Amino acid sequence: QVQLVESGGGLVQAGGSLRLSCAASRSIVSFYAMGWYRQAPGKQRELVAQITKVGSTNYADSVKGRFTISRGSAKNTVYLQMNSLKPEDTAVYYCNGDDRITDWAPPINNWGQGTQVTVSA
């Protein structure tokens, strides 16, 4: 297993920026994918952004052009740069690491504890 710790959340005004960080307890280079999810009160957890081990990325339509996911130069970090934040981006943001055994195997999901992002109007 791997422990994932998020940081960087906080309160920001609409239009502002935040950068979330996810630090893993061991290397995540071999992970099938790393992702950021979010969950707003009363809503289901949803995928925000994902980056695969070969560097492919995908984003929720609601954040395309505003958010960027990237891997850090260290082999155990992932970031989410969030620009032009909107009040509807308010949620708890979770780091996810999919450590499946092979590319065709079912996902093995590892989750962090989450970090709160609040965007005021």
Side-chain angles (χ1 to χ4, degrees):
Q1 262 194 334
V2 63
Q3 280 70 53
L4 302 174
V5 179
E6 304 95 337
S7 61
L11 173 63
V12 65
Q13 288 188 330
S17 298
L18 285 173
R19 188 175 83 153
L20 304 183
S21 301
C22 174
S25 57
R26 61 177 175 86
S27 174
I28 54 174
V29 170
S30 64
F31 276 41
Y32 176 80
M34 295 295 299
W36 287 95
Y37 288 71
R38 68 186 180 188
Q39 187 167 19
K43 295 187 177 181
Q44 288 189 329
R45 191 173 296 190
E46 63 174 355
L47 174 67
V48 175
Q50 187 179 64
I51 184 167
T52 70
K53 61 182 178 182
V54 298
S56 299
T57 58
N58 66 287
Y59 297 90
D61 288 343
S62 59
V63 307
K64 283 181 180 177
R66 300 188 298 122
F67 290 11
T68 303
I69 189 170
S70 62
R71 292 181 180 267
S73 56
K75 295 182 179 180
N76 66 335
T77 54
V78 176
Y79 302 104
L80 183 69
Q81 178 66 43
M82 306 186 295
N83 299 327
S84 302
L85 282 161
K86 304 175 181 179
E88 51 263 45
D89 295 319
T90 295
V92 178
Y93 284 70
Y94 296 91
C95 181
N96 169 271
D98 178 2
D99 191 20
R100 65 184 68 181
I101 296 172
T102 67
D103 289 358
W104 304 273
I108 299 177
N109 287 308
N110 300 273
W111 295 96
Q113 293 298 308
T115 184
Q116 177 70 45
V117 171
T118 303
V119 184
S120 63

